[in-house]
Amino acid sequence: MNNIAPVILKTYDPHWPVIFNEEAEKIKMTIGRHILSIDHIGSTSIPGSLAKPEIDILIGVESLDEAEFCIEPLKNIGYIYFKKFEEIIPERRYFRKSDGLTPLYHIHMVEKSSNFWHE
């Protein structure tokens, strides 16, 4: 049994920024006091780009310690926290919201003063 959704690329959808803004508002309402900045990143943020129809969200925080306070509230709006990914990229906290196997949103939470943020 395959538990991985197939990768599907789509032509740019001008509705993607609207989808990002709607989700960003939900996130701000949920964990806004921990957020310094929230941005739409990745291929769905580039007009005209071919992309996986998954919205990548970059959240800048003062310290990664803030992520601990965000796990449960984000879970309440459908996000799963993947602690195991800290082994691969320790300077990022990764959350995903999906529709079954199909990822819909990815949150990359990093310190706003970090190289990860600037790169």
Side-chain angles (χ1 to χ4, degrees), residues 77-95:
I77 62 168
Y79 284 91
I80 298 172
Y81 172 56
F82 288 84
K83 185 166 180 63
K84 67 181 178 179
F85 289 176
E86 291 177 33
E87 297 171 13
I88 301 164
I89 305 174
E91 65 274 13
R92 175 193 71 170
R93 300 298 179 260
Y94 177 74
F95 301 79

Side-chain angles (χ1 to χ4, degrees), residues 36-56:
L36 296 177
S37 184
I38 185 166
D39 293 293
H40 185 188
I41 62 168
S43 55
T44 60
S45 70
I46 304 168
S49 176
L50 193 61
K52 293 186 293 181
E54 303 166 8
I55 306 296
D56 284 290

Side-chain angles (χ1 to χ4, degrees), residues 63-83:
S63 165
L64 286 179
D65 293 337
E66 296 290 317
E68 292 300 317
F69 301 107
C70 299
I71 294 170
E72 281 303 311
L74 287 172
K75 183 178 177 182
N76 291 335
I77 62 168
Y79 284 91
I80 298 172
Y81 172 56
F82 288 84
K83 185 166 180 63

